[in-house]
Amino acid sequence: MEPKQIKIALAGNPNSGKTTLFNKLTGSRQRIGNWPGVTIEKKEGTIKGHKHVTVQDLPGIYSLSPYTPEEEISRNYLLEEEPDVILNIIDSSNLERNLYLTTQLLELDIPVVVALNFIDVSRRDGHKIDSRKLETRLGCPVIETSALKGEGVDKCVACCIGAAEGDEQHGRAKKAGASFDAGVEQAIKDIESVIGETTPKRRRWVASKAFERDEKALVGLSLTALQKETIESIIRRAEEKLDDDSESIITAARYAAIKKLTDNVIVRAKRKDNLTRSDRIDRIVTHRFWAYPIFIAVMAVLYYIAISLGINTQDMVDGWFGDGLIPLVQDWMEGLGASGWLIGLVTDGVIGGVGAVLSFVPQMIILFILLGIMEDIGYMARIAFILDRLFRRFGLSGKSFIPMLIGTGCSVPGIMASRTIESQRDRRMTIINTPMIPCGAKLPIIALVAGAVFGGAWWVAPLTYFLGLFAVIISGIILKKTKIFQGEPSPFVMELPAYHVPSVGNVARSTWERSWSFIKRAGTIILLSSVVLWFLLHFAVVDGSLVMIEDDMIADSIAAKIGAVLGNLFAPLGFGGWQASLATVTGLIAKEEVISTFGVIFRIEDALDIVEEANYAGVAAIAQHFTQLSAFSFMLFNLFCPPCFAAMGAIKREMNSAKWTWFAIGYLFIFAYILSFIVYQIGLLFTGGAFSILSGLAVILLAGSLYLLFRKPRAGVLVSA
Ligand code: GDP
Ligand code: MG
């Protein structure tokens, strides 16, 4: 007989080790992050050695009250998919807070198995935890685990299967868990009897949610008006008696119950100086003043290493393509008697376009390794914490910075991580601003400009990172002062994970995941668009008919014509040439396209000796098309303008509204345009240009922007420092 399918749901607070345990259970390799927002979608896997048992990794939640979209995903899953057993993983070094969720899970009438995780840490710190006592009080199995070291994992599996099959010995959750003070208990019992027949299942849970006035829990119950009224009067009576609103009453009752549950369960070791090593490091790293210079120094070093190490590797890869592969392919194709245009298509179009992008891959990999290390050590979580403290004063929440920090790799997961934010206004604002942080694909643009126009100066790349951060802040403040986005910043509570030595596996996994998507894109979309671009560069419309043209005529090509039209739009920003305009627009496909477009165009021009001494990635060629000022303006626009299609798609999914998607795209375009315009036009004045209508306009726009930035917040947005 086939064994019955068993579904295990893995639930717990953020950072309790769910994904680590999930990977151990299933042998899969999900991304592990030690900050919230990494697992935002549920993931399913099959337990190793038990084909009939699946496990579902749910997003981290603190409670079953759906305040955030993640809490809603997890709650809906538990209620609607009816897993056979809930494996609730809790952090033993933070027992009370974690049990807040556990006591709610126990009300769902689904068997619960508790994994008391981080047991290695608790032991190391000398805390004594009596898990048997906790087990008796909770009325469900409690297993000591270390997801990191694999301890207790098999026992969890056995226990979950036992509980799902209703095995008494493994303890199907008995009626236990948290019981509340008499007053609250009575009110819930009264509601239970009112909803009576209407709710065959989970009566207690529904009743306690009804007591909190949680509308969503009552949907689909078809309560009569009279029942609803009776419930309301029960709630009101309890509120009067206990002198608080019902939601706070339940919260307080839950914590009181947890206090009883944990009484004598945990005996904490006394520390000599009461500070862990992490605490001591944090005294400096999150210090009120020193935190900022340290942050700046860390990021500067990160980008410095990525770019300067990268420049050497880039030359090397460039060499492979330019001096190695291209002549080889050319000889080979000539030998086969291929026609000239086909050779051009392959060498200039394909190898030029794709190679230009690939030559930046080593740089990206270095950056991703460094970011991965910072993340795994636990420093990224500190950055969010530090930034929160600073920007709360401007009405911005640290919660908004986590998506942006994740966006340093790629905007798409960054935008998706905005789901951790409860307030819809703040979530929308974060989605709009996240693409401004330079993602990995923008790194080549920065490297190109830094290398070509600023002589490889080390400070250009870190500077652009901080410019990105700065732009986000400015834009955030401006948006926050408008009517649409005003409001208190979202509260931000974040556990700072203990620092630990980065694990090679974790860093390798995150680096691979991020880099692979670039390599994949180079082989697909970049390849395809390079071919299309090559054709557009080699066809022209002459006397109404389409004709193929020689390399030295590309200035008449369709591509050049399109670029020239677009150039009218970008001329006031300083880069109206057809090449740069075309590159900017192809950048919407993917940000690497900017580089690959230059790659194709300059390969052709290079071969014609239009550009002296150019390598085909265009590092030297680009200098011919720009002044320092216009290159800077070009870079700014490309950093802040609407992101690539993939990111726009993510915006659309997360906004879930056409109106807001267009708002985001329009806003980013206008923001980038105005910024580049002001920088270029006012920059011209400083570099000896004459005052013109455009510079007048720039001054007006600057004044207007400053007004939007510094005006008083609207009434009701007074923010607490
Ligand atoms: P999630 O947010 O619940 O999915 O948590 P993760 O699985 O991403 O883990 C958060 C961090 O805690 C990671 O850095 C893990 O390596 C670490 N971790 C997880 N479980 C344990 C454990 O039992 N012991 C120790 N020492 N570290 C753990
Ligand atoms: Mg996770």
Side-chain angles (χ1 to χ4, degrees), residues 303 411 432-447 449 460-469 471-472 575 584 591 594 631-644 668 671-672 675-676:
Y303 275 83
S411 302
I432 295 171
N433 286 333
T434 297
M436 292 190 182
I437 290 289
C439 69
K442 287 176 183 168
L443 191 69
I445 305 180
I446 300 168
V449 170
V460 176
L463 179 76
T464 39
Y465 176 79
F466 290 112
L467 273 178
L469 206 57
V472 166
F575 50 97
T584 302
K591 284 295 156 206
V594 175
F632 190 65
S633 159
F634 173 79
M635 185 173 77
L636 280 184
F637 186 80
N638 274 287
L639 286 183
F640 300 135
C641 76
C644 62
L668 286 169
F671 185 92
L675 181 70
S676 296

Side-chain angles (χ1 to χ4, degrees), residues 360-372:
F360 284 96
V361 165
Q363 245 165 24
M364 283 182 213
I365 293 181
I366 296 168
L367 181 69
F368 292 154
I369 292 176
L370 296 173
L371 287 174

Side-chain angles (χ1 to χ4, degrees), residues 460-481:
V460 176
L463 179 76
T464 39
Y465 176 79
F466 290 112
L467 273 178
L469 206 57
F470 198 61
V472 166
I473 294 157
I474 301 240
S475 157
I477 295 173
I478 289 178
L479 286 177
K480 202 69 192 171
K481 286 185 182 174

Side-chain angles (χ1 to χ4, degrees), residues 315-626:
D315 277 350
M316 190 177 72
V317 182
D318 241 17
W320 292 345
F321 286 104
D323 307 330
L325 193 61
I326 289 185
L328 208 71
V329 171
Q330 201 154 352
D331 286 349
W332 177 69
M333 289 184 78
E334 275 166 6
L336 288 179
S339 54
W341 71 267
L342 193 61
I343 297 176
L345 170 67
V346 173
T347 55
D348 301 341
V350 175
I351 305 180
V354 175
V357 172
L358 287 185
S359 69
F360 284 96
V361 165
Q363 245 165 24
M364 283 182 213
I365 293 181
I366 296 168
L367 181 69
F368 292 154
I369 292 176
L370 296 173
L371 287 174
I373 293 175
M374 283 302 150
E375 198 177 322
D376 211 40
I377 287 181
Y379 186 65
M380 284 305 204
R382 265 78 186 177
I383 301 181
F385 174 77
I386 297 165
L387 293 179
D388 179 65
R389 202 169 51 200
L390 181 61
F391 299 119
R392 191 152 289 276
R393 298 187 197 161
F394 303 109
L396 306 176
S397 160
K399 273 213 160 161
S400 303
F401 285 97
I402 290 180
M404 294 171 196
L405 294 173
I406 293 179
T408 315
C410 170
S411 302
V412 174
I415 290 165
M416 283 162 71
S418 65
R419 285 187 205 168
T420 41
I421 301 168
E422 300 99 50
S423 140
Q424 195 174 43
R425 289 194 203 108
D426 280 5
R427 190 162 67 240
R428 285 188 181 137
M429 191 183 83
T430 307
I431 294 173
I432 295 171
N433 286 333
T434 297
M436 292 190 182
I437 290 289
C439 69
K442 287 176 183 168
L443 191 69
I445 305 180
I446 300 168
L448 186 68
V449 170
V453 190
F454 293 93
W458 67 270
W459 45 265
V460 176
L463 179 76
T464 39
Y465 176 79
F466 290 112
L467 273 178
L469 206 57
F470 198 61
V472 166
I473 294 157
I474 301 240
S475 157
I477 295 173
I478 289 178
L479 286 177
K480 202 69 192 171
K481 286 185 182 174
T482 62
K483 200 167 152 204
I484 331 174
F485 292 103
Q486 68 177 345
E488 280 285 339
S490 303
F492 180 58
V493 201
M494 181 169 166
E495 216 57 31
L496 292 180
Y499 288 104
H500 63 96
V501 179
S503 110
V504 176
N506 276 351
V507 174
R509 197 173 305 137
S510 78
T511 305
W512 168 250
E513 231 171 60
R514 287 167 169 166
S515 314
W516 178 234
S517 70
F518 285 100
I519 299 172
K520 223 167 36 192
R521 275 212 301 275
T524 50
I525 188 153
I526 307 286
L527 176 73
L528 187 74
S529 15
S530 301
V531 170
V532 172
L533 180 67
W534 190 89
F535 275 106
L536 289 178
L537 284 167
H538 284 88
F539 278 93
V541 182
V542 180
D543 301 331
S545 59
L546 207 58
V547 292
M548 188 149 183
I549 53 178
E550 288 300 314
D551 277 0
D552 53 2
M553 303 265 293
I554 59 169
D556 296 324
S557 67
I558 299 178
K561 290 270 152 47
I562 298 173
V565 173
L566 294 167
N568 295 322
L569 182 62
F570 298 122
L573 312 186
F575 50 97
W578 68 267
Q579 295 94 331
S581 307
L582 196 65
T584 302
V585 172
T586 54
L588 295 179
I589 300 172
K591 284 295 156 206
E592 307 93 302
E593 265 299 316
V594 175
I595 301 306
S596 110
T597 300
F598 280 141
V600 177
I601 296 176
F602 295 145
R603 250 306 290 172
I604 299 167
E605 292 188 346
D606 181 22
L608 296 167
D609 284 334
I610 288 179
V611 183
E612 302 145 44
E613 230 192 303
N615 58 11
Y616 69 82
V619 171
I622 193 173
Q624 314 260 328
H625 287 268
F626 289 104

